[in-house]
């Protein structure tokens, strides 16, 4: 009998060990997590961002849309004369004028695409467009018949004076007269390998449309006087091509596949565009004598704009150590270089700005040459530097407006104000000669600002991770607060038990550099319990990724925390917007992006007893998918589980423009050393790999090549290939909950 009891006890113990510990509680936790999904939480927050709509016929007034829990959709008119607010229109009068069979449900926000001009309110309502006169005592509304009856036939690539348009047939350029549609062929040497004006198309467009014609989407830039347009001839002979496959094509159980150009990092040949200038009066297309421009992704080969009769464009040389501002002098049929920017490592095109002044031959040009992103005033005629506009240990983020008449620049920057998060944006004004810098939004929050058309007023939306948005009208000269316009409505969010994430700060392993992040806790958090910690990682150098405003909930972290985990989001060294020294940590060192994350988790665990350092997870997508696998390999044993989605696991299988920028070109030994295909034998933690079969950003082969390496190394892992899915797998609830279950099982979430 004792033996029988011992056997039964042993069997019971084995059964408990083989049954996932989450089985009894997971349904409850998953139901709670679903309530905290990004889509669910987004619906519980209103008025997070005020967008002003200034009246064209009265620049002293603007209106904005908001949502009231009591009254639903509302529209508010603001006067800058007396700073009074009132309803833009009378809802009851509008309902009566619409004369609908059913009552208007304002809580459903029924009005869309709203605009107001000369007292005429235009909007979409129940799929139809209405025009309403709200200047009279009894409003008058009618269907907008112009929308359907007398609308002009749309013509692509039409000149500003509407007398000409451009098109491409058989890969050659044509100039056509609009009234007669007579077309003159301008080039004869175009071909599929050397087309004119063609933009590199996304392969999904070819898969979804059998009649797709890449010659319908072009790079055409008309001059304002309609005398010229700029295009290019694209050279793509020998350029790498990939195949995207739809294995569940809808018809006849067939497989649909498409070949497409994809310039991969390290390739010998990239698509190159040679500028073409078309003189309309002469009906002539001229290939310009200038260096060809590399095309490193989808879209057009040339990006630029016309200014005072010349066409300006930025030309980034391969290796990303030289950047030129060049101009096409159309009247002289020549290209000249205006500004040359050089850097021994890389120039970041993600932050490069050129702002052309309307009333002079000058441009505001951005550069990190002093160690921080700053603005410089240049003479466009000579290419000479006139003067620096901004300077100091801070980062200019965006130009908001320029008052040319008074020589004043308005810009947002971060990192200048002491004793606060260096990522927080503030609005400043400064004279174009660099004098009289003034802070206009001093509150220690994240400020998102816009200027009024007359540049007298600021609309300022500010918040932080714990403080809901306040929207204010301010004086653009002094920054003085004039009237509170609105505030975010978040009561529904707190009613379900949601709590904002907690900002944290740690010092990096160098003992000097502060790092910043957010910590998400479950709504039923108990500091006496132990929780696993999960890192939502993305160390891509093109930006930073931890939210600084109140919009911290529109992601996967709150739901994941509800499963019983501490979830963090942070930015380590190598990410952007903290100055060149901070940024360059990632140069030829993308794998090092995980190091600060590991260090931060260890510091947080020392600081908080509720963090279980023996249960650490990590997940990410795209570059974060790379980070996830690299973290498991580089810090073997530290992470117990990782979910990698859409990862660019080797920089050589990914796009040229992104990878060569941070890793350098030509390729060095760093590319091989930092590949996830290297050292796969070090994998110890549990790994789920996922990829969409229709991912045109990072080809599925990036993950399948890693799968091949793992199989050869006899490593255990899970794999999910998702048909019909592109790059962003978080758009699919199945994948999101698959990730939940993976962490529930392998981190023993409770």
């Amino acid at each position: 009998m004792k033996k029988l009891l011992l056997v039964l006890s042993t069997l019971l113990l084995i059964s408990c060990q083989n049954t996932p510990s989450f089985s009894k509680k997971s349904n409850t936790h998953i139901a709670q997590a679903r309530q905290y999904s990004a889509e669910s939480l987004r619906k519980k927050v209103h008025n997070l961002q005020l967008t002003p709509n200034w009246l064209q016929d009265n620049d002293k007034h603007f209106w904005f849309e908001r949502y009231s829990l009591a009254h639903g959709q509302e529209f508010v008119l603001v006067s800058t004369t007396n700073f009074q607010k009132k309803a833009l229109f009378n809802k009851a009068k509008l309902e009566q004028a619409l004369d609908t069979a059913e009552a208007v449900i304002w809580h459903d926000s029924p009005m869309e695409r709203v605009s107001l001009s000369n007292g005429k309110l235009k909007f979409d309502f129940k799929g139809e467009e209405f025009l309403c006169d709200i200047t009279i005592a009894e409003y008058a509304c009618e269907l907008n018949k112009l929308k359907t009856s007398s609308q002009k036939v749309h013509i692509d690539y039409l000149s500003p004076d509407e007398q000409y348009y451009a098109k491409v047939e058989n890969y050659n350029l044509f100039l056509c007269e609009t009234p007669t549609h007579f077309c003159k062929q301008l080039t004869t040497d175009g071909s599929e390998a050397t087309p004119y004006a063609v933009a590199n198309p996304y392969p999904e467009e070819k898969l979804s449309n059998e009649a797709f014609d890449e010659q319908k989407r072009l790079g055409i830039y008309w001059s304002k006087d309609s005398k010229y347009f700029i295009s290019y001839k694209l050279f793509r002979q020998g350029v790498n091509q990939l195949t995207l496959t739809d294995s569940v094509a809808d018809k006849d159980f067939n497989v649909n596949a498409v070949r497409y150009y994809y310039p991969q990092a390290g390739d010998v040949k990239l698509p190159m565009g040679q500028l073409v200038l078309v003189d309309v009066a002469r009906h002539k297309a001229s290939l310009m004598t200038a260096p060809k421009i590399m095309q490193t992704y989808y879209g057009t080969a040339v990006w630029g704009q016309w200014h005072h009769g010349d066409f300006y464009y930025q030309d980034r040389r391969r290796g990303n150590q030289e950047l030129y501002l060049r101009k096409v002098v159309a009247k002289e049929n020549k290209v000249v270089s205006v500004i040359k920017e050089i850097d021994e490592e890389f120039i970041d095109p993600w932050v490069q700005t050129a702002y052309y002044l309307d009333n002079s031959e000058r441009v505001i040009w951005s550069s990190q040459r002093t160690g921080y992103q700053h603005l410089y005033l240049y003479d466009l005629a000579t290419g000479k530097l006139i003067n620096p506009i901004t300077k100091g240990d801070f980062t200019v983020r965006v130009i908001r407006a320029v008052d040319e008449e008074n020589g004043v620049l308005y810009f947002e920057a971060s990192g200048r104000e002491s004793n606060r998060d260096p990522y927080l944006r503030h609005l400043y004004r400064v004279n174009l000669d660099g004098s009289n810098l003034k802070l206009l939004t001093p509150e220690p929050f994240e400020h998102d600002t816009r200027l009024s058309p007359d540049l007298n007023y600021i609309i300022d939306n500010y918040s932080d991770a714990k403080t809901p948005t306040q929207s204010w009208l301010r004086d653009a000269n002094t920054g003085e607060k004039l009237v509170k316009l609105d505030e975010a409505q978040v009561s529904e969010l707190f009613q379900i038990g949601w709590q904002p994430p907690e900002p944290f700060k740690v010092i990096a392993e160098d003992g000097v550099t502060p790092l910043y992040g957010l910590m998400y806790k479950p709504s039923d958090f108990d500091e006496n319990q132990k929780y696993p910690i999960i890192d939502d990682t993305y160390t891509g150098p093109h930006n930073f990724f931890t939210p600084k405003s109140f919009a911290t909930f529109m992601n996967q972290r709150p739901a994941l925390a509800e499963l019983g985990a501490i979830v963090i989001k942070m930015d380590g060294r190598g990410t952007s917007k903290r100055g060149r020294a901070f940024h360059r940590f990632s140069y030829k060192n993308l794998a090092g992006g995980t190091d600060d994350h590991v260090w931060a988790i260890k510091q947080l665990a020392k600081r908080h007893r509720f963090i279980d350092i023996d249960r650490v997870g990590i997940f990410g997508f795209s570059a974060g998918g790379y980070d996830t696998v690299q973290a498991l390999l580089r810090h073997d044993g530290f992470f117990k589980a990782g979910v990698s989605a859409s990862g660019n696991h080797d920089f050589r299988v990914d796009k040229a423009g992104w990878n060569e920028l941070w890793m350098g070109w030509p390729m060095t030994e760093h590319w091989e050393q930092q590949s996830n295909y290297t050292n796969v034998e070090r994998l110890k933690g549990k790994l789920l790999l996922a990829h969409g079969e229709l991912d045109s950003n990072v080809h599925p082969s990036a993950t399948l090549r890693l799968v091949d390496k793992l199989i050869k190394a006899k490593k255990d892992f899970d794999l999910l290939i998702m048909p019909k899915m592109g790059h962003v797998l978080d758009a699919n609830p199945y994948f999101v909950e698959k990730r939940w279950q993976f962490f529930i099982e392998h981190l023993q979430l409770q």
Side-chain angles (χ1 to χ4, degrees):
M1 185 65 177
K2 289 182 179 180
K3 285 186 177 182
L4 178 59
L5 289 174
L6 181 60
V7 170
L8 289 173
S9 298
T10 302
L11 289 173
L12 180 61
L13 179 60
I14 293 173
S15 175
C16 289
Q17 289 175 337
N18 289 340
T19 302
S21 61
F22 63 86
S23 59
K24 293 182 180 179
K25 294 186 177 181
S26 63
N27 289 339
T28 301
H29 282 74
I30 286 176
Q32 178 73 359
R34 287 172 181 158
Q35 282 192 319
Y36 279 67
S37 69
E39 186 61 29
S40 178
L41 296 183
R42 185 182 292 112
K43 295 176 181 177
K44 300 182 185 301
V45 179
H46 312 285
N47 313 324
L48 198 61
Q49 185 82 3
L50 186 153
T51 301
N53 301 274
W54 292 89
L55 301 187
Q56 293 183 353
D57 55 317
N58 186 345
D59 63 4
K60 301 298 182 185
H61 292 79
F62 68 91
W63 62 270
F64 65 91
E65 180 181 347
R66 69 180 308 276
Y67 188 88
S68 162
L69 292 180
H71 306 292
Q73 188 179 32
E74 295 181 330
F75 299 86
V76 180
L77 181 68
V78 181
S79 168
T80 60
T81 302
N82 55 20
F83 309 125
Q84 296 295 309
K85 298 185 294 181
K86 65 178 183 179
L88 182 63
F89 56 83
N90 184 296
K91 284 184 175 181
K93 287 185 178 182
L94 190 71
E95 287 185 46
Q96 186 174 7
L98 285 173
D99 193 25
T100 59
E102 302 175 0
V104 177
I105 311 296
W106 292 104
H107 281 87
D108 290 343
S109 297
M111 293 175 62
E112 299 177 320
R113 297 166 54 87
V114 179
S115 63
L116 178 64
S117 180
N118 296 314
K120 298 295 192 298
L121 190 70
K122 183 166 70 172
F123 56 92
D124 287 356
F125 178 74
K126 293 188 176 181
E128 295 182 302
E129 186 175 87
F130 286 85
L131 280 173
C132 296
D133 187 342
I134 60 173
T135 63
I136 55 180
E138 300 297 328
Y139 295 173
C141 292
E142 62 180 3
L143 282 173
N144 186 6
K145 299 176 183 178
L146 292 175
K147 186 177 182 181
T148 55
S149 59
S150 60
Q151 197 172 41
K152 292 182 179 179
V153 176
H154 177 72
I155 299 176
D156 291 324
Y157 310 111
L158 189 65
S159 63
D161 65 7
E162 300 185 356
Q163 296 304 301
Y164 296 92
Y165 61 94
K167 71 174 184 177
V168 170
E169 289 184 358
N170 297 321
Y171 298 104
N172 281 297
L173 273 173
F174 287 76
L175 178 65
C176 305
E177 297 176 358
T178 306
T180 64
H181 296 290
F182 170 78
C183 296
K184 172 71 179 295
Q185 185 168 347
L186 301 178
T187 66
T188 58
D189 59 340
S191 67
E192 192 280 334
T194 58
Y196 282 89
V198 169
N200 188 21
Y202 285 84
E204 300 97 320
E205 297 173 303
K206 297 182 179 181
L207 280 170
S208 61
N209 180 7
E210 292 182 354
F212 177 80
D213 182 359
E214 67 174 344
Q215 298 177 92
K216 300 299 183 184
R217 187 168 301 164
L218 310 175
I220 301 290
Y221 299 88
W222 278 100
S223 63
K224 294 179 181 178
D225 60 11
S226 302
K227 292 181 178 180
Y228 304 95
F229 71 78
I230 289 287
S231 190
Y232 53 86
K233 183 180 182 181
L234 190 61
F235 294 84
R236 54 188 185 185
Q237 308 99 318
V239 171
N240 180 68
Q241 293 189 58
L242 296 178
T243 301
L244 203 64
T245 303
D246 181 1
S247 295
V248 291
D250 295 330
K251 47 188 177 181
D252 301 327
F253 295 95
N254 204 348
V255 173
N256 195 9
V258 63
R259 292 281 286 173
Y260 61 102
Y261 290 100
Y262 186 90
Q264 281 182 305
D267 282 351
V268 174
K269 288 190 174 183
L270 299 182
M272 303 295 290
Q274 185 173 1
L275 278 178
V276 174
L277 173 66
V278 172
D279 186 321
V280 173
R282 298 173 61 195
H283 291 73
K284 183 179 180 180
S286 302
L287 288 172
M288 306 301 292
T289 302
K292 295 184 178 70
I293 304 166
M294 64 177 181
Q295 183 185 49
T296 59
Y297 198 53
Y298 306 109
T300 60
V302 177
W303 297 84
Q305 67 182 82
W306 289 88
H307 175 72
H308 292 182
D310 296 324
F311 180 79
Y312 290 86
Y313 66 98
Q314 294 184 29
D315 180 7
R316 181 164 54 110
R317 298 286 86 199
R318 195 166 190 187
N320 302 290
Q321 295 170 331
E322 295 181 9
L323 176 69
Y324 294 84
L325 178 64
R326 306 192 199 270
K327 70 175 175 180
V328 179
V329 184
K331 293 179 180 179
E332 300 178 27
N333 195 31
K334 68 178 183 180
V335 177
V336 297
S337 294
V338 181
I339 300 174
K340 179 181 180 180
E341 194 77 31
I342 58 174
D343 191 287
E344 62 182 9
E345 293 181 334
F346 66 84
I347 299 167
D348 185 359
W350 292 75
V351 297
Q352 195 61 42
T353 298
Y355 188 104
Y356 303 92
L357 301 186
D358 289 331
N359 301 328
S360 65
E361 290 298 317
R362 296 181 296 171
V363 64
I364 298 172
W365 177 260
S366 67
S367 171
Q368 294 193 71
R369 65 187 66 160
T370 63
Y372 288 87
Q373 179 81 353
H374 281 296
L375 302 176
Y376 300 83
L377 189 63
Y378 274 87
D379 186 314
L380 285 171
T382 65
K384 291 183 178 180
L385 173 66
I386 299 173
N387 60 262
I389 303 174
T390 62
K391 59 184 177 180
D393 295 346
F394 63 91
T395 298
V396 173
R397 299 282 291 277
V398 64
I399 295 173
R400 284 301 182 204
V402 178
D403 181 350
E404 293 189 54
E405 182 178 349
N406 296 300
V408 176
L409 165 70
Y410 296 86
F411 67 95
E412 289 176 357
S414 56
R416 182 177 181 270
E417 309 309 314
S418 59
N419 301 318
R420 62 187 64 176
D421 186 325
Y423 295 97
L424 295 178
R425 288 180 296 162
H426 298 274
L427 182 70
Y428 300 84
R429 56 175 288 157
V430 66
N431 293 337
L432 288 175
D433 64 6
S435 65
N436 197 26
L437 177 67
K438 182 177 180 59
L439 171 65
L440 297 173
T441 58
E443 299 85 359
F445 295 102
E446 169 77 350
H447 293 263
D448 187 357
T449 61
R450 298 296 185 274
L451 276 293
S452 62
D454 61 11
L455 303 183
N456 288 325
Y457 301 100
I458 303 163
I459 285 80
D460 180 18
N461 297 284
Y462 68 79
S463 67
D464 65 16
K466 290 197 167 190
T467 309
T469 307
Q470 292 188 19
S471 301
W472 283 83
L473 183 70
R474 312 182 80 125
D475 185 287
N477 183 50
T478 65
E480 177 190 358
K481 289 181 173 179
L482 301 173
V483 62
K484 188 176 183 179
L485 299 171
D486 206 0
E487 61 184 3
Q489 173 56 255
V490 297
S491 59
E492 292 176 288
L493 197 60
F494 285 98
Q495 284 173 3
I496 66 170
W498 177 89
Q499 293 295 319
E502 298 179 8
F504 67 81
K505 172 184 173 182
V506 298
I507 302 300
E509 197 169 4
D510 64 6
V512 177
T513 308
L515 306 174
Y516 298 83
L518 291 175
M519 179 187 297
Y520 295 74
K521 297 177 180 178
S523 58
D524 60 354
F525 173 75
D526 182 351
E527 64 178 8
N528 295 314
Q529 286 192 19
K530 282 280 192 177
Y531 294 89
I533 185 168
I534 301 175
D535 180 19
D536 177 0
T537 184
Y538 196 106
T539 69
H542 60 276
N543 209 335
F544 73 93
F545 305 95
T546 304
K548 298 302 171 182
S549 70
F550 191 73
T552 62
F553 49 85
M554 293 184 286
N555 52 69
Q556 299 298 323
R557 296 183 288 277
L560 190 54
E562 286 304 296
L563 296 173
I566 303 299
V567 183
I568 65 166
K569 186 68 177 177
M570 63 167 288
D571 293 287
R573 289 169 295 173
T575 50
S576 187
K577 308 297 190 293
R578 289 276 299 272
R580 185 166 58 189
F582 189 94
H583 198 191
R584 303 304 168 93
F585 181 81
S586 58
Y587 182 59
K588 296 186 178 181
N589 184 37
L590 289 180
T594 63
D595 296 350
D596 280 344
H597 288 238
V598 171
W599 179 257
I601 290 171
K602 290 179 178 178
Q603 302 314 301
L604 291 172
K606 290 179 181 179
R607 188 181 300 174
H608 303 292
R609 295 180 61 185
F610 54 78
I611 293 177
D612 187 347
I613 197 65
D614 294 322
R615 290 188 290 161
V616 183
I618 186 170
F619 74 98
F621 107 101
S622 195
Y626 164 83
D627 293 336
T628 298
V629 174
Q630 183 62 213
L632 267 67
L633 301 179
R634 188 179 180 95
H635 306 278
D636 55 322
F638 181 78
F639 293 97
K640 298 301 185 292
V643 180
S644 168
S646 313
N648 57 328
H649 297 293
D650 188 297
F651 310 123
R652 294 163 292 191
V653 300
D654 196 18
K655 64 197 79 66
W658 195 88
N659 298 270
E660 289 185 4
L661 179 58
W662 318 117
M663 289 299 292
W665 182 88
M667 289 186 294
T668 62
E669 68 277 5
H670 302 90
W671 292 63
E672 175 71 21
Q673 292 168 358
Q674 298 182 47
S675 168
N676 283 347
Y677 305 155
T678 306
N679 300 323
V680 292
E681 67 278 358
R682 297 183 62 178
L683 179 65
K684 291 182 180 178
K686 298 296 183 181
L687 173 63
L688 168 60
L689 294 170
H691 218 115
E693 192 183 29
L694 300 185
D695 189 346
S696 62
N697 188 321
V698 177
H699 194 274
S701 66
T703 290
L704 292 174
R705 285 177 180 272
L706 178 59
V707 166
D708 180 59
K709 298 287 186 181
L710 291 168
I711 290 173
K712 289 177 179 176
K714 296 182 171 56
K715 289 294 179 178
D716 184 48
F717 63 95
D718 291 339
L719 174 66
L720 174 63
I721 299 296
M722 299 197 68
K724 297 292 187 184
M725 287 300 299
H727 192 52
V728 184
L729 299 187
D730 279 1
N732 191 306
Y734 178 88
F735 169 71
V736 171
E737 298 201 11
K738 182 74 172 177
R739 183 169 56 206
W740 293 352
Q741 292 285 5
F742 191 82
F743 284 131
I744 288 172
E745 178 177 359
H746 296 298
L747 296 181
Q748 295 84 49
L749 302 187
Q750 300 180 15

